[in-house]
Amino acid sequence: MTTNTPFGDVPPTFALATELTNAHDLTLEDLDQKWYDRWEDEDEDWLLVLNGTSMPWYTEATPVSESHFESPFLAKVPPGCAFVMINDEAVAVIHPTHNEYFTAPESARVWERALLSGFHDRITDLDVELPPLEDFVDELPEPDTPTPA
């Protein structure tokens, strides 16, 4: 899903993931290595790795859904994409055009909301003003939908 965000016509998860670099006073244009951001949010350990290199990056990971992915598996993170883990489980690779979730297909939209909310919270915690989360997307799963195990 893409929408016309304040950051351009890209998936809102990608827009917010890459906005994290700006929240740390880095520009994407100057990024030429893997860049990490790790934080705690509601007792969850979040890790975002943005691949700023010119080569794909591969990492062994445990998926959030072992019923749909082998565990561990090898995740490919192309240049310019972000790899996201929550509590040491791989959730997604965020691309400029789409998201690749490591979960059951029917759970992808719930994880999308979780990522959007987590990225938005992290950026605003770093004292960067953002429009309300609802301004980034046309439609989201209900906020009370539980995050899949």
Side-chain angles (χ1 to χ4, degrees):
M1 168 183 69
T2 63
T3 189
N4 193 7
T5 70
F7 307 102
D9 191 25
V10 296
T13 45
F14 183 79
L16 289 175
T18 55
E19 183 63 16
L20 276 168
T21 59
N22 290 334
H24 288 280
D25 296 324
L26 300 168
T27 63
L28 284 178
E29 294 79 21
D30 293 335
L31 192 62
D32 62 358
Q33 59 190 357
K34 289 187 300 240
W35 178 81
Y36 300 81
D37 192 11
R38 180 170 233 137
W39 69 96
E40 293 284 328
D41 185 24
E42 298 181 14
D43 296 326
E44 293 178 322
D45 179 42
W46 287 67
L47 173 66
L48 178 131
V49 182
L50 186 59
N51 184 4
T53 71
S54 60
M55 301 293 294
W57 170 60
Y58 296 87
T59 186
E60 189 173 85
T62 301
V64 292
S65 175
E66 292 185 17
S67 63
H68 288 79
F69 290 88
E70 291 183 24
S71 183
F73 74 107
L74 195 61
K76 177 183 177 183
V77 185
C81 295
F83 176 72
V84 184
M85 292 181 72
I86 301 175
N87 295 332
D88 295 324
E89 293 180 325
V91 176
V93 172
I94 308 298
H95 298 257
T97 56
H98 67 283
N99 299 326
E100 178 184 356
Y101 291 98
F102 306 119
T103 185
E106 62 273 10
S107 299
R109 296 280 290 150
V110 176
W111 280 107
E112 179 178 26
R113 180 170 182 86
L115 294 181
L116 287 167
S117 179
F119 295 164
H120 192 275
D121 289 351
R122 174 63 171 159
I123 294 166
T124 56
D125 286 349
L126 293 168
D127 294 327
V128 174
E129 287 191 34
L130 286 176
L133 181 58
E134 293 73 24
D135 289 358
F136 285 93
V137 292
D138 299 323
E139 177 184 331
L140 283 173
E142 292 300 316
D144 60 345
T145 304
T147 302

